[in-house]
Amino acid sequence: MKNWKKVLVLLVAVMVIFSVSAVAAPKQWVVGFSQIGSESEWRTADTKSVQDAFAGDPTFVLIYSDAQQKQENQIKALRTFIARKVDCIVFTALVETGYGPVLQEAKKAKIPVIMIDRDVQEADRALRLTIMGSDFVKEGEKAGTWLADYLKKQSMDDGKTPIDIVELQGTTGSAPAIDRKTGFANIMKQHANWQLTRSQTGNFTTSEGKAVMEAFLKADPKIQVLYAHNDGMALGAIQAIKEAGLQPGKDIIVIGVDGVKGAFQAIVAGEQNVTVECSPLLGPQAVQAVSDLRDGKKLPGRIWTIEGIFDASNAAAALPTRQY
Amino acid sequence: MAWWKYVSSRKIFWPLVALAVLMAFNLFFTPKFFRIEVKEGHLYGNVIDIIKNSAPIMLLAIGLTLVIATKGIDISVGSIVAISAGVVAMLLGGDLLGVPKYPIWIAMGTAILVSVLAGMWNGMLVSRIGMQPIIATLILSVAGRGIAMVTTNALIVWLYIKPFRIYGQGYLLGLPFSLYIIAVLLILTALVTRRTALGLFIEAVGINPTAARFAGINAKNIIFGVYAFSGFCAGISGLIVCSTVMSADGNNAGAGYELSAILAVVLGGTSLNGGKFYLLGSMVGALIVQTLTTTIYAFGVPPEIAQVVIALVVLVISLLQSGKFRTMIAGFFGKRELAI
C-alpha cells in the first residue's frame, strides 16, 4: 500500500512539473475558459465561437472546461486555472452567488477575470475585471422601437386607436425574461394606446410558445402584435397563428429576439417580421479584450456585444452568413 | 342510493368528476372557452386544443399505466421522447424545400425502433439485473437527454417536410389526427390486456411478484415487456411532439413529460403500489392535466403564480380521488352511507 502511495505522489509530482513547464515554456498567453454547460443551441454557438476565436490566434492557448451545470465543477475548474497560473480567466457564471472566495484567490494570484454573458452578484463584481455580453433591457427597447417605426410606416398607429399586443415571456424569473419585458414596457409607456392584453410564459420553448399562443388566439380574436422573448417561441406561435387561419407577419405582427437561423428563414418567408439579435458569438470580442489586456490597455467595466436587428429589409442578405 | 353506490364505485367516476369540475370552472369564468368553430376545414377551439395537446402525454400514459401496474415506474420517457424526435428529425433532414433525406416511413420506423431499444434497456436493468425501477430509468432519463443532444448535434433541427405535419398538426374528419393514433393504440392495448390473460399477469406481478412466479407467470418477461412497450409509446409520442412544432429540440422536447404522465396515470386511478390498472382512467387523467394547463393560459393566470395554482388544484383532485379522505369528510358530515 505504502509503495502505491509513493508511486501516486511521484506521478502527481511529474504531472505538476509537466503542466507547469508546459505553461512556462512558450511565450503564449494561456487563457482558462470555464463554460457552464451546453443547455441550449445558443450556448453551443457561444462555446464554439470562443473556442474558434482563440484557436485562430496562435499567440493564445485556450484551456476549456465544461461545468455541466454544476457550480462545484466550475469552482473546481477555476481553482485548477489558478493553480496552473493561467494568464487570464474567462468564465460564464452558472448562478450569481458563491464565487466570492475563488475570485479572491484569483485576485491574490494576480490573474485577471473576464466574465462572459452572465455576471456574478453585485458584491463580487469588484473582483472581476469586466463583463461582456448582451443588454437584455436594450433588446426589449429595440423591439419596441422597431414596432413603433413599423406601425408608423404602415400608418397603422394614429396614437388613439388601441393596438392589441400579446407577450410570450421567457422562463419566469430568468434575467433575459425580466429584462426583455422591462425594455419593451419602457417603450410601451411612450404609447398610451398600446395595450398588453395578455402575457404568459412560454418557457423559451417552441412547443410551449405554440400552446400559449393557441389559447391567446381563442381568448382575444383581435391580437395585432406578438412580442416573444425568443425566436423559438415566436416560431411556435407562428404555427398556432397559421392553424387559426390567420397570416403570421400580416394579420399579426411577429417580433422575436435572438436571431436564430429559423427566425431568418421565417422572415424571408414573410411569416415573422423582425428578430432582435442577441448574439452568442462572443469569441472575437473576447479575444480582442484579452489582447488589449495583454498590451496593457485598460478595459471598460462593461463591454456590450455588437448586435443588429433584422427584418424583411436585411434578413435575406444576412441569412447565408448566420452561424446559429 | 344503490345507483349512486354503483356509479361512484366505478374507478373512472372520480377522475371524470375532477374533469367535469375543471370544465365547469371554465364554463363560468373563462369567456368563450367552449366555443368551437370550423376553420380551415377542421374544428377549432380550446377543447380541440386540449385533446390535441394532451396527445403526447396520453401516449406516454398508456405505456406508463402498464409499467406502474407492475409496481414499476419509468421516468425516462421524457428523454425517450427527445431521442425519438431527434432521430426522426435527423433522418428527415432540415431541407428548406421539404425534401426528406430518407423516406418518412424509414425515419419514423427507425425512431420508434430506437425508442423500443431504449425501453428494452430499462426492462433489462429492472427485470434481469434487478435494479430498482426509479434508479434504472433515472439512468436513461439523464443519459437519454445526452443521447438526444448528440443526435441533433445540440442544435434545434427545423423541418419543412409538409407530409410529416399530419401527425401533430393534421386533422381527419375535422378532428386532430393524433386522436386516431391514440384511439388505435388504446384499443389494441385494451384488447391485448383485457381479452387475454396478459392484463391479469401484469396485475399479478404488481401485487406480488413472488406469488406470481409460483403461479407459473414469467414475471421477468412481463416486466421486461412493459418497459419495452413504454419505450414504444414514448417513441410514438416523440414523433407527435416533433411534428407538432416541426422541430426537434434535444434540450426541451419532452422535458418534464414523465411527471405529467405519471400524474395522469395516478389521477386516473392506477395506484403507484401496482396491481389494478385503468387505461381509460389514465386518458382522463391526461385530459385533466392538459385542461389545467390550457385553463391557466386561457384564463390568464400570471406565470409567477401559475405553478402554485396547478399544485393546489392537483392536491384537491388527489384528495377527491382518495377513498380514505372521502370517508373522513363523509364521516365529518355524518353521512356515512355516502362513503365508499
Side-chain angles (χ1 to χ4, degrees), chain A residues 10-314:
Chain A
L10 205 73
L11 224 92
V12 169
V14 168
M15 273 163 70
V16 166
I17 291 165
F18 263 100
S19 55
V20 167
S21 60
V23 172
K27 273 172 269 168
Q28 289 169 319
W29 250 46
V30 181
V31 178
F33 174 36
S34 167
Q35 180 60 285
I36 57 176
S38 53
E39 79 284 2
S40 65
E41 62 174 346
W42 194 96
R43 190 69 56 201
T44 313
D46 175 34
T47 310
K48 201 172 167 308
S49 163
V50 174
Q51 285 176 327
D52 289 354
F54 278 101
D57 190 333
T59 61
F60 287 114
V61 176
L62 187 77
I63 309 168
Y64 173 68
S65 166
D66 183 343
Q68 297 180 334
Q69 307 294 335
K70 287 205 178 71
Q71 191 177 25
E72 67 259 35
N73 287 351
Q74 190 159 40
I75 290 174
K76 231 183 274 169
L78 294 175
R79 292 227 159 92
T80 314
F81 292 158
I82 296 167
R84 287 181 72 169
K85 297 199 170 67
V86 297
D87 297 291
C88 179
I89 290 174
V90 174
F91 95 104
T92 301
L94 179 64
V95 290
E96 289 203 336
T97 52
Y99 292 100
V102 72
L103 286 176
Q104 286 283 9
E105 289 166 35
K107 196 167 186 178
K108 242 181 238 160
K110 297 205 172 71
I111 299 171
V113 177
I114 295 176
M115 307 293 304
I116 278 196
D117 176 40
R118 292 205 205 163
D119 212 349
V120 288
Q121 66 177 344
E122 205 98 42
D124 297 334
R125 286 186 190 165
L127 298 168
R128 51 118 175 103
L129 197 63
T130 182
I131 161 96
M132 60 172 58
S134 304
D135 185 345
F136 300 136
V137 177
K138 206 162 184 187
E139 284 164 4
E141 285 171 352
K142 274 188 197 167
T145 315
W146 179 90
L147 179 62
D149 290 347
Y150 183 82
L151 291 174
K152 209 167 165 193
K153 254 187 258 162
Q154 305 283 314
S155 48
M156 286 167 72
D157 190 1
D158 57 7
K160 283 186 213 87
T161 326
I163 302 280
D164 277 14
I165 303 171
V166 294
E167 183 182 42
L168 286 174
Q169 299 181 29
T171 308
T172 310
S174 70
I178 296 168
D179 292 353
R180 284 173 191 169
K181 188 174 174 55
T182 312
F184 193 78
N186 289 347
I187 304 297
M188 279 195 68
K189 270 182 227 144
Q190 302 162 15
H191 301 265
N193 59 326
W194 290 14
Q195 49 186 23
L196 195 64
T197 54
R198 273 164 191 270
S199 180
Q200 180 62 254
T201 178
N203 267 320
F204 283 134
T205 66
T206 311
S207 52
E208 275 184 63
K210 183 177 178 185
V212 175
M213 192 63 190
E214 281 173 351
F216 281 0
L217 286 162
K218 267 131 219 164
D220 182 1
K222 35 184 236 325
I223 298 170
Q224 285 162 289
V225 182
L226 162 71
Y227 168 48
H229 287 185
N230 81 342
D231 285 330
M233 293 189 291
L235 291 167
I238 286 172
Q239 300 187 25
I241 296 170
K242 277 199 248 173
E243 276 177 48
L246 297 169
Q247 267 190 303
K250 294 197 179 67
D251 298 325
I252 295 176
I253 299 166
V254 179
I255 302 171
V257 183
D258 272 358
V260 299
K261 222 180 226 166
F264 276 78
Q265 282 154 358
I267 294 172
V268 171
E271 295 177 338
Q272 184 169 337
N273 298 80
V274 66
T275 180
V276 179
E277 190 182 32
C278 175
S279 177
L281 307 180
L282 297 160
Q285 268 183 304
V287 170
Q288 185 60 46
V290 180
S291 306
D292 286 352
L293 190 69
R294 182 171 54 181
D295 299 343
K297 286 186 201 158
K298 203 173 156 18
L299 294 182
R302 168 102 223 193
I303 302 169
W304 299 119
T305 321
I306 305 155
E307 289 168 332
I309 181 158
F310 297 91
D311 60 8
S313 64
N314 57 353

